[in-house]
Amino acid sequence: MNSYPKLQSQQLADYLLRLGDNALILSQRLCEICGHAPTLEEDLALSNVALDLLGQARMWLGYAGSLHPRPLSEDALAYGRDVHAFRNVLLVEQPNDNFAHIQVRQFLFDSWHCLLLRALAESADSQVVAIATKALKEASYHLRRSSGWVVRLGDGNPLSRQHSQNALIRCWDYVGELFEVDELEQVMLAEDLGCNLAALYPEWLAYVNEVLSAATLDLPHRPSCLTGGKRGAHGEALVSLLMEMQYLARAYPGVEW
């Protein structure tokens, strides 16, 4: 186990919550569509992506909980926090709309997530490296799937293309937060524990442009302005998601299954 001064340990725990919450909340969103995908194969595939993300969330949250002055379990962090204690980016909490929206949201996240995990695999923290290295293998598969679907839908019939373009426009409001470097990100970068999110943007944009070109979709030419998720500023979408996700644990506190 890596050992850090108290202040730095708390900052690392806060940073790990961001990583864990991203995976946890997106996993929950994908779980909501289990049984509702257009084909059985895709239903199983999206469920597997959700399970991968849930596994990643468990690792990040488990590490974060171990750094708390009074160690907390992954379950305590997942089911015992209120909405404003969650630190996920706003993109992953957006409600499912149609199938095109689900795949576009996934693609925008996956293309960023792979770059982030690749950078974290070079972290000075050995446990961060281990988690990121394992998660990167899964995220790379997720990206191949979501990229393929974006091309398939965008370059499909007029209806699927319109749904995909609309989804891209809706999701674009939230992508700026993925590359936002706040005070905590700066601390993690200075300690060689995190990465420079802003530096990921050019490579991310180049790949996104490549996929969108193949999909015959247009990149939105307007600023992405909605942020705050990493600081705990969330909307009603996350409130309703947590009400469902946390119901059983809150209805029967302390019960062991």
Side-chain angles (χ1 to χ4, degrees):
M1 178 68 68
N2 299 283
S3 179
Y4 300 106
K6 182 176 180 181
L7 177 60
Q8 186 178 348
S9 180
Q10 182 58 55
Q11 290 171 323
L12 177 57
D14 292 342
Y15 182 71
L16 295 169
L17 282 181
R18 295 182 175 187
L19 302 172
D21 287 349
N22 285 338
L24 177 64
I25 298 305
L26 184 53
S27 173
Q28 186 69 15
R29 279 294 180 220
L30 293 177
C31 285
E32 292 176 348
I33 61 175
C34 182
H36 300 283
T39 66
L40 179 59
E41 179 183 10
E42 186 58 20
D43 202 70
L44 293 172
L46 285 172
S47 296
N48 283 331
V49 172
L51 287 173
D52 286 345
L53 290 168
L54 184 60
Q56 294 170 25
R58 292 187 63 189
M59 291 187 290
W60 292 125
L61 294 181
Y63 187 18
S66 72
L67 297 173
H68 195 272
R70 299 176 61 183
L72 297 170
S73 69
E74 62 200 51
D75 286 345
L77 289 173
Y79 301 118
R81 286 180 293 153
D82 292 328
V83 62
H84 297 302
F86 276 77
R87 295 294 182 260
N88 57 278
V89 293
L90 297 175
L91 176 66
V92 299
E93 71 189 50
Q94 298 311 303
N96 300 322
D97 189 355
N98 52 52
F99 185 70
H101 177 267
I102 291 165
Q103 296 296 353
V104 168
R105 181 188 62 197
Q106 192 70 36
F107 164 68
L108 294 173
F109 176 80
D110 290 340
S111 51
W112 168 80
H113 198 208
C114 283
L115 296 177
L116 171 63
L117 292 172
R118 188 179 70 186
L120 292 179
E122 303 295 328
S123 171
D125 184 287
S126 60
Q127 196 158 341
V128 169
V129 170
I131 297 172
T133 300
K134 181 181 186 303
L136 180 57
K137 297 177 182 178
E138 298 170 341
S140 298
Y141 163 71
H142 301 167
L143 179 57
R144 289 195 298 273
R145 288 196 70 263
S146 59
S147 298
W149 267 111
V150 167
V151 173
R152 183 176 175 181
L153 293 168
D155 196 33
N157 60 46
L159 181 60
S160 69
R161 185 186 186 284
Q162 187 60 55
H163 279 311
S164 299
Q165 188 65 57
N166 290 342
L168 185 60
I169 292 170
R170 285 181 55 194
C171 291
W172 198 255
D173 284 337
Y174 306 100
V175 299
E177 186 178 23
L178 302 176
F179 306 97
E180 186 179 63
V181 180
D182 61 10
E183 184 178 351
L184 179 58
E185 301 283 356
Q186 292 172 355
V187 171
M188 293 297 101
L189 180 60
E191 298 293 335
D192 200 24
L193 297 173
C195 75
N196 186 348
L197 292 176
L200 303 180
Y201 182 74
E203 186 175 355
W204 175 86
L205 186 61
Y207 180 76
V208 167
N209 269 317
E210 179 183 336
V211 172
L212 294 183
S213 178
T216 69
L217 295 173
D218 301 320
L219 189 75
H221 293 290
R222 59 192 178 89
S224 173
C225 56
L226 299 179
T227 68
K230 294 195 291 187
R231 297 184 295 277
H234 302 282
E236 289 298 320
L238 186 59
V239 174
S240 59
L241 182 149
L242 293 180
M243 287 177 63
E244 181 175 353
M245 186 183 84
Q246 297 177 337
Y247 169 76
L248 200 60
R250 289 178 178 264
Y252 302 97
V255 170
E256 296 183 3
W257 304 94

